[in-house]
Amino acid sequence: MVGKMIALDWRAMKVYQIRGLLLPVFAFLFGLFSPLLVIPMTVYMYLSYSINPFAVEEKGELNNLYLTLPVSRKEIVTGRYLLSFLMMLVSMAIGALVMPVANQFSVSKWCIGLEGYIAVIALSYLLYAILNLFMFPILFRLGYQKGKFWGFYLPVFLFAFLFSAYISFTTITEYKTLSLDLIRFASENLLVVSGSMAVLATLILALSYLLSLKLYSKRDF
């Protein structure tokens, strides 16, 4: 039944699917500034894209429909998390393909190797898990209209602020290679650094899932 919930959510957001096709283009444009940002930005954009079922279900009152089906609230939450997780995997694959292309046209040229890619992917996974923790539980508890500020706009604003601050910081001459230095360090300590980020991200994602289950079970429709 979880598979059917994933399919229902995917079909419900078909009105937004054309936007999903444009996300690699935006990722490429970000890559013109720095190719190292392609995978994190692609993961971030697809996470934001994966919350569209919340908007669709509220507009069409699909929660009432879902709950008339032989499906539990746990299966609804699980299906939505799995759909989001699958989209994250797709975004990583797309980002890994777009990154070397953007690198050919970018002002800055980077060569990070396979270990560097693994480090960037691990960091992107951690970013996904942290933002998911801020977004999904609130949206499951309050719905899209009531929760979109705290569960979507605020995390987006904070991410944009921190992202801009980091970009500004790395424009300072002595810190221009900071991103590459961090990736090189993670590459040289791949198991400890990237492994730790992946484990931490998994724990955060599990916490987000359990919290969403608890909050959604208490929600009245």
Side-chain angles (χ1 to χ4, degrees):
M1 197 62 192
V2 171
K4 291 183 179 179
M5 290 309 305
I6 294 174
L8 281 173
D9 279 337
W10 177 249
R11 287 198 295 269
M13 57 189 287
K14 64 181 180 180
V15 66
Y16 300 108
Q17 287 176 9
I18 187 64
R19 300 180 187 178
L21 297 176
L22 297 175
L23 295 183
V25 177
F26 294 129
F28 172 78
L29 294 176
F30 275 105
L32 296 180
F33 294 97
S34 175
L36 298 178
L37 300 175
V38 170
I39 296 177
M41 284 304 304
T42 307
V43 168
Y44 167 71
M45 288 188 292
Y46 272 84
L47 170 61
S48 300
Y49 179 66
S50 73
I51 72 169
N52 281 318
F54 290 97
V56 173
E57 74 174 9
E58 191 158 301
K59 184 177 180 180
E61 297 183 349
L62 295 182
N63 270 311
N64 296 324
L65 171 63
Y66 289 169
L67 294 176
T68 62
L69 301 174
V71 58
S72 67
R73 295 195 181 200
K74 180 179 180 180
E75 289 173 323
I76 294 175
V77 174
T78 302
R80 196 152 301 170
Y81 267 81
L82 286 177
L83 175 61
S84 177
F85 188 80
L86 289 172
M87 292 177 69
M88 180 202 68
L89 295 179
V90 170
S91 71
M92 287 181 175
I94 291 174
L97 293 174
V98 171
M99 185 176 170
V101 177
N103 196 36
Q104 297 299 315
F105 298 93
S106 175
V107 176
S108 56
K109 306 293 183 181
W110 304 106
C111 182
I112 60 175
L114 178 61
E115 292 83 0
Y117 269 90
I118 293 174
V120 171
I121 288 172
L123 176 62
S124 301
Y125 179 35
L126 180 58
L127 171 68
Y128 165 83
I130 292 172
L131 289 173
N132 184 289
L133 178 60
F134 279 96
M135 291 180 176
F136 273 57
I138 292 176
L139 292 172
F140 269 114
R141 180 67 183 96
L142 300 178
Y144 185 77
Q145 290 300 322
K146 292 181 180 179
K148 63 182 177 182
F149 174 77
W150 300 105
F152 179 66
Y153 290 122
L154 183 59
V156 168
F157 173 78
L158 290 175
F159 176 82
F161 174 77
L162 293 173
F163 177 78
S164 300
Y166 179 79
I167 293 298
S168 299
F169 183 74
T170 54
T171 58
I172 302 173
T173 303
E174 57 265 37
Y175 298 112
K176 279 189 175 181
T177 61
L178 177 60
S179 297
L180 188 60
D181 292 340
L182 291 173
I183 292 173
R184 185 179 294 114
F185 175 80
S187 300
E188 294 171 352
N189 302 273
L190 192 62
L191 183 60
V192 174
V193 177
S194 299
S196 297
M197 286 192 293
V199 170
L200 179 59
T202 301
L203 292 174
I204 292 173
L205 194 59
L207 174 62
S208 174
Y209 172 71
L210 294 174
L211 189 57
S212 291
L213 279 178
K214 183 176 181 179
L215 294 174
Y216 191 61
S217 66
K218 296 180 179 179
R219 186 174 170 188
D220 295 324
F221 294 103

